[in-house]
Amino acid sequence: MKTNEIRELLRRFPKAPVGFFPTPLQRLDRLSDELGAELWIKRDDFTGIGLFGGNKIRKLQFFMADALAKGAEYVFTFGATQSNHAMQTATACRRCGLKPVLYLMSVVEPDEFPRANLLLDRVFDAEIHIVPPDFKGMLDAAHEQIARLEAEGHKCYEIPGGGAAPLGSLGYVEGWCELLDQAEAAGFAPDFIFHATGSGGTLAGLMAGRTLSGSKAKLMSVGVGADEPVQYIKNAAKLTNETLSLLGTDARVGEGDFTFLTDYYGPGYEQPNAGTDEAIKLLASREGILVDPVYSGKAFYGLLDHVRSGKLPKGSRVLFWHTGGATSLFAEPEIIGKIV
Ligand SMILES: Cc1ncc(COP(=O)(O)O)c(C=O)c1O
């Protein structure tokens, strides 16, 4: 399918105007010379709404429109205390006149004075519940609160952690179309696309878009935590197929379509490593672009390793999909590690 035909399928899903699109597509001139590869970047760190954008804004366009259509007053979502998704949800809610309620697991114990995303959550005056790192316990507590509020006559809307639902992934089907149109105009056709993957919602949208467009560009999805790869790919394939089905198409993906890279997140989620530190500093010092220690820095580390070690064929054209997250450069020292 052509991108305008895919966009036609997306048209029946309303979007709230919570971001700035298209985001820029840029060539990384100095790094391309230095590494002997054709490197480009898609700047989804510039999705808006405010200063701190990121990949979740693409998904939130659809969630916010759905919440408003359903007459919601409160929007609940979930993540770690330094969740980019939670912060962007708080931003989008305030832009739409909705009340954000955030359930945040203390994977890393927050400092007494809130830092980074947790500080911004406070500035947005989100209702914040910091809970122990127990996913089921967190959901149970939130569902109890939702039941209480609804019994009092309030309407609540729930967005899963990371915005991982087919409705949100539509944002990255559209992102895929945006990239193809821009790349064609720029005379660039990526062979490989590196991006960070967490909840899998971004990956599902990109993979759905790729499938519909018939593109051969390979998605290189860099994991950010200790997920079991076989199960992770199964879940990502399921979410992709649900997204394709939501769009009303018969196209489907198989697990063999996915490349899930697990060598770059160690020792764990929100835990720094030396390769990521170097990747963050290299991109900043050569191109003036910031990535973060939890997501986009780990994905860029994966890209660098593939380019330098010859894991990609010579002359490959490589795109880095920047998914945002640079607020984490101001997070707790355990998260930032030894960047400087
Ligand atoms: C900066 C950044 N990059 C990538 C991701 C991963 O996106 P997804 O949850 O859609 O897999 C996240 C998720 O929180 C993120 O904050």
Side-chain angles (χ1 to χ4, degrees):
M1 285 171 89
K2 294 200 177 2
T3 53
N4 61 339
E5 294 168 321
I6 303 173
R7 286 182 195 277
E8 200 50 50
L9 295 178
L10 285 162
R11 201 148 293 155
R12 70 187 167 91
F13 300 93
K15 286 186 291 183
V18 293
F20 305 131
F21 302 104
T23 59
L25 173 71
Q26 302 170 319
R27 187 170 186 274
L28 297 173
D29 290 332
R30 276 155 302 279
L31 273 183
S32 293
D33 287 350
E34 187 170 329
L35 299 170
E38 182 67 16
L39 299 180
W40 289 63
I41 189 166
K42 176 76 173 141
R43 300 296 303 272
D44 272 10
D45 47 332
F46 281 143
T47 54
I49 310 164
L51 198 50
F52 307 108
N55 58 337
K56 306 306 180 180
I57 297 292
R58 285 195 190 270
K59 308 182 190 186
L60 284 162
Q61 299 174 95
F62 292 93
F63 289 128
M64 290 293 111
D66 194 35
L68 290 168
K70 290 180 171 145
E73 178 185 356
Y74 292 92
V75 174
F76 282 67
T77 202
F78 312 93
T81 47
Q82 285 301 352
S83 165
N84 298 305
H85 162 71
M87 183 277 286
Q88 287 168 77
T89 301
T91 320
C93 281
R94 290 312 188 191
R95 193 79 188 113
C96 294
L98 298 167
K99 296 177 187 159
V101 184
L102 310 178
Y103 275 76
L104 305 176
M105 291 186 291
S106 52
V107 178
V108 168
E109 201 56 44
D111 279 359
E112 197 177 330
F113 183 82
R115 288 174 179 252
N117 286 318
L118 197 50
L119 172 67
L120 296 173
D121 297 340
R122 292 271 294 272
V123 175
F124 289 122
D125 199 19
E127 183 181 317
I128 300 168
H129 300 263
I130 295 181
V131 297
D134 159 23
F135 190 70
K136 185 177 176 308
M138 172 178 72
L139 287 187
D140 289 348
H143 291 157
E144 263 175 43
Q145 190 187 355
I146 290 174
R148 266 198 316 276
L149 283 167
E150 298 220 320
E152 290 164 13
H154 301 284
K155 185 99 185 89
C156 299
Y157 186 85
E158 193 177 329
I159 301 176
L167 187 66
S169 291
L170 295 182
Y172 269 93
V173 176
E174 186 167 52
W176 182 266
C177 295
E178 189 179 298
L179 171 72
L180 287 197
D181 291 345
Q182 287 176 314
E184 191 182 8
F188 166 65
D191 301 307
F192 295 94
I193 298 175
F194 283 77
H195 71 104
T197 186
S199 71
T202 300
L203 169 55
L206 292 176
M207 189 58 92
R210 174 186 185 271
T211 305
L212 293 175
S213 69
S215 165
K216 294 280 171 282
K218 190 165 180 187
L219 282 170
M220 306 293 278
S221 308
V222 180
V224 296
D227 296 290
E228 206 279 296
V230 173
Q231 192 54 44
Y232 191 89
I233 291 174
K234 264 193 195 344
N235 295 344
K238 181 168 176 285
L239 187 52
T240 306
N241 285 331
E242 287 167 358
T243 306
L244 288 165
S245 166
L246 179 65
L247 281 167
T249 75
D250 296 329
R252 295 292 180 266
V253 292
E255 287 158 29
D257 294 317
F258 293 83
T259 303
F260 179 51
L261 304 171
T262 54
D263 287 341
Y264 304 103
Y265 72 82
Y269 179 68
E270 288 193 335
Q271 296 179 42
N273 63 47
T276 303
D277 293 348
E278 196 253 341
I280 293 172
K281 278 190 282 196
L282 188 75
L283 188 59
S285 62
R286 301 302 192 274
E287 301 284 352
I289 296 173
L290 295 171
V291 284
D292 78 278
V294 183
Y295 290 97
S296 47
K298 287 188 172 170
F300 197 66
Y301 169 29
L303 179 153
L304 279 181
D305 178 53
H306 275 70
V307 171
R308 283 171 171 159
S309 66
K311 286 180 189 142
L312 304 183
K314 251 204 144 25
S316 293
R317 293 156 300 186
V318 183
L319 177 86
F320 178 64
W321 203 306
H322 193 329
T323 48
T327 40
S328 292
L329 290 167
F330 307 98
E332 287 77 11
E334 299 96 298
I335 294 177
I336 304 168
K338 297 193 176 65
I339 300 173
V340 288

